[in-house]
Every structure is written in C-alpha cells, then in structure tokens.
Amino acid sequence: MTLNRLFFAYGEKPILFNASLDLPKTGVVCLIGDSGSGKTTLLRILCGLETPQAGELTDLPSRPAVVFQEDRLLPWKTALENVALVLGDTPDAKTRAKQALASVGLSDEEQARLPKALSGGQCRRVALARALALPDADALLLDEPFAGLDDDLVDTAAALLREAAKDKLVLVITHDTDDQKRLNATLLRLRNGVVE
C-alpha cells in the first residue's frame, strides 16, 4: 500500500501536505500524532471514505475491516447481531460472531445485550470483534482501538491483532506510544501534515 505526495484539505483548512507512506502487506504499523494532525483523515482515505485533492494511491486494500473512533454499533441489534451482520447470510455467521466476541472477553450474556446495556469498553470490544470476524478482510484499519479498555483487555486485544498481522496489514492509529510495544509494531509519526 503506497501513498505518494498526498494533499488533503477540508475547505480552506489543509490537513495533509505531501504525505507519503509505504505500508507493508503484513505486520502491525502504529501511526501516532497530535490531535488534529490528520491521522483519522488518513485512515478515511485508506478505506475509501475520503479522496485526496492531489497525490497517488496504489495497492489500497480492497476489503478493509475498520474500527472507527466511534463504535458505530446498530442500537437495535444485540452485540452478537452486530457482529454477525457483517458476516452476511452464511450458515456459520452466528458461530463466527460468537467466537469473535468470546475472543475479546464478552460472555454469552453480554453478547445478548443491546449496545445501550453495555459499558463503553464492552461496546469497543464489540466493534473490535466485528473487524476481527471478517474472514476475507485484507487489512485492519483501526482508529484508537483500545479506547476505554483496561490493561488486561488491551493485552488480550493486542495479542489478537498481532495474530491477525501474520497474514494482513494492521494499521493502528493511536496517541499512546505504549501501543507500539504491546503490538511489536513499526512506529510512524504524522506531524504537520507529513508522515515521518
């Protein structure tokens, strides 16, 4: 995945300036930067939700699994249904969803709850499980995936991401440099609209 000399602005406000980046096909990369530095915008470009005004993009993932800053769960569906939904109408969708939710530490009882009956950390784990459950995702693009999780749960989630990174790129946007150590990740910085 290659980004070459990207420029992106919201109206008159430039966010990315000549941002260039080569990302591997597998492994974990942590992208850190101050608030407002363009990290989330870069993620939105990588998953096709924004288009830069200049620059070139090549080898973008065709089916990325994404965790946004917001959990983006359907409030009228249970945790289990939220995860099963992305797996389509397949015979094993519910089983795969249950396994993904169990892997992030959610019990059967918690899986049967609506998002409003879950804590913020539990909703975050549902969002993470939903991304991990996609069998044909060719990249995981994660914006602050550990927000609201205690240290033990972060360690569990980090282990799952390291495992996923054996056969796909895992890009983690974070403010916390400790995440690089947990994930054994390559560290990149976004500063003043440029990737360093």
Side-chain angles (χ1 to χ4, degrees), residues 24-93:
K25 292 190 180 296
T26 62
V28 187
V29 175
C30 283
L31 180 65
I32 67 169
D34 295 335
S35 293
S37 63
K39 301 184 304 296
T40 296
T41 298
L42 187 58
L43 180 136
R44 290 177 60 82
I45 290 170
L46 292 176
C47 61
L49 296 176
E50 300 287 358
T51 302
Q53 286 87 9
E56 296 177 338
L57 301 164
T58 56
D59 296 325
L60 291 183
S62 59
R63 188 164 166 76
V66 184
V67 173
F68 295 96
Q69 282 186 3
E70 314 83 19
D71 298 319
R72 300 193 180 191
L73 304 178
L74 297 177
W76 58 89
K77 290 194 175 287
T78 65
L80 181 61
E81 290 168 338
N82 265 282
V83 176
L85 186 66
V86 302
L87 299 175
D89 189 19
T90 61
D92 66 340

Side-chain angles (χ1 to χ4, degrees), residues 156-187:
T156 297
L160 293 169
L161 295 180
R162 289 194 306 269
E163 182 63 26
K166 290 178 179 177
D167 63 5
K168 63 186 59 133
L169 170 67
V170 177
L171 177 65
V172 177
I173 291 177
T174 181
H175 290 95
D176 188 348
T177 54
D178 286 342
D179 290 345
Q180 178 203 10
K181 299 170 189 171
R182 291 185 181 104
L183 293 163
N184 192 24
T186 300
L187 182 66

Side-chain angles (χ1 to χ4, degrees), residues 76-156:
W76 58 89
K77 290 194 175 287
T78 65
L80 181 61
E81 290 168 338
N82 265 282
V83 176
L85 186 66
V86 302
L87 299 175
D89 189 19
T90 61
D92 66 340
K94 185 174 179 181
T95 299
R96 289 183 62 85
K98 287 183 74 65
Q99 290 170 343
L101 287 162
S103 74
V104 296
L106 287 171
S107 67
D108 287 348
E109 180 185 347
E110 291 162 341
Q111 293 179 29
R113 293 178 186 166
L114 295 174
K116 68 181 180 182
L118 297 172
S119 70
Q122 289 169 330
C123 286
R124 197 64 180 154
R125 286 185 277 159
V126 176
L128 186 57
R130 183 177 54 192
L132 289 167
L134 277 174
D136 55 350
D138 54 356
L140 294 177
L141 307 177
L142 313 173
D143 200 347
E144 303 287 351
F146 304 142
L149 304 185
D150 64 31
D151 286 343
D152 287 345
L153 291 171
V154 170
D155 289 342
T156 297

